[in-house]
Amino acid sequence: MNRPFHPDDLYLVRQVTDVCWHPDGDSIAHVVAWADRATDANRSEIHLADLTSGTTRLVTRTHAAAAPRFSPDGLHLAYVAAAGRDARPQLRVLDLRGGEPEVLTDLPDGVSGAIWATNDELLVTAPVRPADQVDVDDDELGRRLRVIDGLDYRMDGIGFTHDRRPQ
């Protein structure tokens, strides 16, 4: 039976994004994102799909996960994830042979992405505060006057970005 789309149907939509090929070409990591009715928040998790067997397994159990990247040797998966709804996303690395992910960063404004330089080194992209905002808590920053002089001052889910350029 066909019916018109209802706003509650948005909670049924799952979006697959950020597909990353394993170096052997036989599997992929990808992000599955959705709007979670229970928490009234956007959620995401990373899955590994074996393309030869057709099986998929969940590899993250965090509030929000994104940007999966395999190490050049294929033994590790780096990704960005937030520990909770209000937490900043940090870089994590999972040993695909087993074990728990290791959190590699603890940056005040989080991490937006990473790429592998070698099997042991990662390059990270993160927003950097101007000198007058270093060591200032978010409550104080929220009380300060903001001068907006461009259209790209805010990103949904991140907030004001005009004064924190990614580096």
Side-chain angles (χ1 to χ4, degrees), residues 15-32 45-60 67-71 74 76-79 94 96:
Q15 183 178 12
V16 175
T17 64
D18 212 351
V19 176
C20 178
W21 286 91
H22 190 277
D24 69 10
D26 291 336
S27 61
I28 59 170
H30 62 279
V31 175
V32 177
E45 56 194 22
I46 297 174
H47 295 251
L48 287 179
D50 185 324
L51 301 177
T52 55
S53 69
T55 60
T56 301
R57 70 179 172 113
L58 175 67
V59 295
T60 61
R69 300 292 180 264
F70 288 104
S71 61
H76 296 89
L77 182 71
Y79 61 95
L94 175 67
L96 296 173

Side-chain angles (χ1 to χ4, degrees), residues 107 109-114 123-131 161-167:
L107 299 173
D109 293 309
V111 172
S112 58
L123 302 173
V124 176
T125 304
V128 176
R129 294 180 183 211
T161 60
H162 72 287
D163 54 355
R164 297 177 193 164
R165 303 290 181 214
Q167 295 184 24

Side-chain angles (χ1 to χ4, degrees), residues 128-150:
V128 176
R129 294 180 183 211
D132 66 332
Q133 293 182 10
V134 174
D135 297 328
V136 177
D137 67 20
D138 288 338
D139 290 336
E140 169 60 25
L141 286 177
R143 289 188 290 273
R144 289 185 179 179
L145 176 68
R146 293 177 191 213
V147 177
I148 307 298
D149 59 3

